[in-house]
Amino acid sequence: MSSVEHVTPAVTEDAPWWRQAVVYQVYPRAFADSNGDGIGDLRGVTSRIEHLARLGVDAVWLSPFYPSPLEDGGYDVADYRDVDPRLGTLTDFDEMVGALHAHGIKVVVDIVPNHTSAAHPWFVEALAAGRGSAARERYIFREGSGVDGSQPPTDWESHFGGSAWERVADGQWYLHNFAVGQPDLNWHSEEVRADFIETIRFWSDRGADGFRVDVAHYLTKDLGEVLPSKAELEALPWDGTHPLADRDDVHEVYATWRAVFDEYDPPRTAVAEAWVDADRLPLYASAEGLGQAFNFDLLEADFDATQFRDVVTHNLDLAARSGSSSTWVLSNHDVVRHPTRYGLAVPGRTDDGRPLVKHGATWLLSGGTEPLDREGGARRARAATLFALALPGSMYLYQGEELGLHEVVEIPDDRREDPTFFRNPGVDVGRDGCRVPLPWTPDGPSLGFGSGPAGLPQPGWMADYAVSRLEEDPTSILHLYQDAIALRRRLLRGEELTWRATGRDDVVRFARHEGWEVVTTFGREGYDLDGAEVLLSSMPVPDGVLPGEATAWVRPS
Ligand code: NOJ
Ligand code: CA
């Protein structure tokens, strides 16, 4: 591979915390259950702060904990400014924030602005108020097609499968890009806009340091009088003018949010979840907008030298264009856990050569016919983690990845919860496999998750991944995460990355600053580190040779 190509500008010591943070995603219902009802809760988070502190994370991002009928794991919000009673109270939230802050850990909350829950008072009001009412103007209602309007207005499909329209009792239809219980809001409504500003202030005033913005590329829509068909819609480019997604005018909304974020000291931060063409991500990540955006390219890449290297180069370039820092994600609550992804015999392909759909876990449907190399997957996951934690920018971790958890494929159909499963029978098992409650101890009714049973069932093998067990084993993946995060904190200075030549297509090497270099072997063959001092490695380095499928942080001699 060629040598020096990419150098990002150095950033001073007093750079804002979020530029190079390690952010840990808590999926509250599956993290820790304080009262034995089988549902993880906010007091559970507070009770496990020691784990987060030992891990050394800079911030915690909590997926939604708001009142919700749970049609989409809490991303169907019925009240944006309260805590679901099953998860606790606002007082519990305040206590959790206080305790996290006391440990130097920042708090990021999830904001879900594209849609509310159907149980939100606005939607309840809209149904009661009837067609043409102001209450319906907060959502996207249309008449149906066909002579009697009994057909949906268009043939658009929801992201979870099936029609994107649902009919209500008086015959009108409403748009839901996601579950039926998630009606899309109308962002032309000033009332909608004002209400989200109030929500941002509400959580900021309560100590939230930042926001993760759900499907940030939706919100504004321009449907016009005549709605295009699905085929017409699909033919339109996502260049800022699309009627439904990634519209330029969504950034007018974020500019108003930014003004609010900047009223606080320190300014509140935000990270956009925007599944858009990577070249449009800088719009979301700019300082006038949300400030940072997830880049999911690494998560979508196979464990492959060329892919990883290209993703890094491209991401750093995008970050430089926005003035923001890069983000790195290997797993989250929507995708198959990465040790499992990396354990596929043929990464990225099914047996008959079709590409695997990782977002939504479709390939898991084969229920084990897909050959899964658990050990190899785990080894590659360790290597990928050390690679990603050494990159300039922020790393977003998903709960359980520090335990090396695999996807749970054993969930019986009658215990599944994800709407993707129900709306795609026989096609997609959905995302429950990465949302199974965490194992804290090797025994107990729910492996230490709580004193009662776990919501989604934990398979027997999870006991081997229990926090207490991994804590006792200095070679465990948990210790690797702890050591890497601690060392990263000590080593981090600027945001430079310089590629180094390795003479090998399957080995990637880059330098950060002050002699910190990172080497990853993506193939089976080892790589001689030429006497470099090994600071940390994902596998033992016998005789100065980094084995295959491993990463080392080194200081050349
Ligand atoms: C993205 C979230 O990460 C996902 O879990 C959710 O289903 C959709 N947005 C809809 O809110
Ligand atoms: Ca509970």
Side-chain angles (χ1 to χ4, degrees):
M1 285 185 178
S2 57
S3 59
V4 187
E5 277 162 24
H6 205 289
V7 181
T8 46
V11 165
T12 53
E13 290 308 287
D14 52 6
W17 70 269
W18 54 266
R19 289 194 70 91
Q20 298 210 76
V22 177
V23 184
Y24 182 96
Q25 181 189 357
V26 167
Y27 194 74
R29 286 173 189 77
F31 185 73
D33 170 19
S34 70
N35 61 354
D37 65 357
I39 305 171
D41 44 54
L42 297 186
R43 285 184 172 207
V45 178
T46 309
S47 75
R48 295 293 185 183
I49 285 183
E50 281 308 320
H51 174 69
L52 303 169
R54 268 200 300 278
L55 197 54
V57 299
D58 298 292
V60 162
W61 146 37
L62 295 125
S63 278
F65 48 78
Y66 317 113
S68 164
L70 295 188
E71 279 195 42
D72 180 24
Y75 283 89
D76 47 324
V77 181
D79 181 347
Y80 288 87
R81 300 191 281 273
D82 203 354
V83 174
D84 189 317
R86 290 165 292 188
L87 272 69
T89 61
L90 283 169
T91 306
D92 294 337
F93 177 83
D94 295 340
E95 283 173 11
M96 178 192 71
V97 171
L100 284 163
H101 282 170
H103 284 80
I105 300 173
K106 304 256 191 307
V107 180
V108 173
V109 300
D110 219 307
I111 188 160
V112 189
N114 177 66
H115 41 264
T116 68
S117 160
H120 191 286
W122 276 355
F123 196 73
V124 174
E125 193 191 334
L127 291 190
R131 38 164 60 76
S133 61
R136 286 211 178 170
E137 275 304 301
R138 300 188 190 111
Y139 293 92
I140 301 174
F141 278 88
R142 288 288 184 277
E143 300 303 332
S145 62
V147 270
D148 54 358
S150 66
Q151 298 304 309
T154 66
D155 57 351
W156 301 349
E157 283 173 11
S158 107
H159 285 283
F160 294 153
S163 173
W165 297 96
E166 185 73 9
R167 198 169 198 198
V168 303
D170 61 26
Q172 271 203 314
W173 298 73
Y174 68 87
L175 179 70
H176 60 90
N177 268 298
F178 294 90
V180 174
Q182 290 170 303
D184 279 48
L185 283 165
N186 170 17
W187 274 85
H188 290 294
S189 158
E190 287 305 326
E191 206 186 340
V192 167
R193 291 183 182 227
D195 197 72
F196 275 88
I197 297 279
E198 202 175 322
T199 294
I200 289 167
R201 283 193 206 282
F202 180 86
W203 294 110
S204 298
D205 290 344
R206 286 201 110 91
D209 301 279
F211 297 87
R212 176 266 190 192
V213 183
D214 190 66
V215 290
H217 56 306
Y218 279 92
L219 281 66
T220 57
K221 289 158 191 118
D222 184 14
L223 296 188
E225 284 304 307
V226 184
L227 301 178
S229 69
K230 178 171 171 260
E232 285 165 339
L233 212 52
E234 281 172 0
L236 295 172
W238 282 37
D239 61 357
T241 63
H242 192 280
L244 286 187
D246 192 24
R247 295 178 51 75
D248 284 338
D249 55 16
V250 77
H251 300 291
E252 293 164 15
V253 173
Y254 298 138
T256 66
W257 291 15
R258 171 50 56 195
V260 177
F261 297 150
D262 288 350
E263 285 173 18
Y264 289 85
D265 182 22
R268 297 326 190 217
T269 67
V271 57
E273 187 225 17
W275 295 85
V276 297
D277 187 288
D279 289 307
R280 289 187 54 84
L281 276 179
L283 291 168
Y284 294 85
S286 80
E288 296 75 43
L290 294 175
Q292 198 178 47
F294 284 132
N295 190 308
F296 296 118
D297 293 349
L298 198 61
L299 176 156
E300 290 183 320
D302 297 324
F303 184 74
D304 172 89
T306 309
Q307 290 186 42
F308 267 49
R309 194 178 190 280
D310 288 352
V311 162
V312 172
T313 306
H314 188 211
N315 271 9
L316 293 181
D317 180 47
L318 290 174
R321 272 162 49 193
S322 66
S324 183
S325 62
S326 289
T327 55
W328 311 103
V329 186
L330 293 172
S331 278
N332 63 30
H333 65 296
D334 288 331
V335 299
V336 175
R337 285 186 178 276
H338 60 275
T340 305
R341 293 201 313 265
Y342 296 151
L344 290 167
V346 187
R349 303 265 170 247
T350 59
D351 288 345
D352 57 5
R354 281 172 297 128
L356 296 170
V357 180
K358 293 168 183 170
H359 183 73
T362 302
W363 62 269
L364 290 174
L365 247 202
S366 51
T369 61
E370 213 56 73
L372 179 65
D373 169 11
R374 278 184 174 251
E375 268 181 35
R379 179 184 178 120
R380 294 187 271 274
R382 290 172 72 101
T385 296
L386 273 201
F387 178 93
L389 277 171
L391 294 168
S394 288
M395 176 85 187
Y396 284 80
L397 308 177
Y398 177 53
Q399 70 176 37
E401 72 169 83
E402 78 280 20
L403 312 180
L405 283 182
H406 275 279
E407 187 83 356
V408 177
V409 295
E410 302 91 336
I411 302 172
D413 286 358
D414 62 359
R415 300 289 296 275
R416 289 204 175 267
E417 297 174 358
D418 184 1
T420 8
F421 169 73
F422 298 105
R423 288 180 72 86
N424 299 278
V427 178
D428 193 334
V429 290
R431 301 163 294 179
D432 295 318
C434 63
R435 300 175 177 183
V436 173
L438 292 190
W440 294 89
T441 54
D443 37 42
S446 49
L447 304 176
F449 166 68
S451 55
L456 287 166
Q458 298 159 310
W461 56 258
M462 260 201 175
D464 294 340
Y465 295 75
V467 175
S468 65
R469 190 168 266 180
L470 302 184
E471 281 286 7
E472 286 163 13
D473 173 6
T475 67
S476 71
I477 180 129
L478 178 56
H479 279 278
L480 184 71
Y481 271 80
Q482 291 170 344
D483 294 349
I485 294 169
L487 185 56
R488 166 190 161 104
R489 195 186 286 276
R490 286 216 306 278
L491 294 174
L492 270 187
R493 300 279 183 280
E495 294 182 30
E496 318 84 4
L497 179 147
T498 310
W499 296 112
R500 295 269 190 251
T502 65
R504 293 250 305 266
D505 285 346
D506 60 340
V507 181
V508 174
R509 181 170 190 151
F510 60 85
R512 290 296 307 270
H513 36 253
E514 298 169 15
W516 174 18
E517 295 202 3
V518 179
V519 186
T520 301
T521 49
F522 286 86
R524 296 286 160 93
E525 208 185 314
Y527 176 84
D528 192 337
L529 292 172
D530 201 21
E533 177 195 358
V534 177
L535 305 173
L536 187 65
S537 58
S538 66
M539 298 297 290
V541 181
D543 304 321
V545 176
L546 181 67
E549 301 187 323
T551 296
W553 293 3
V554 301
R555 200 170 264 139
S557 52

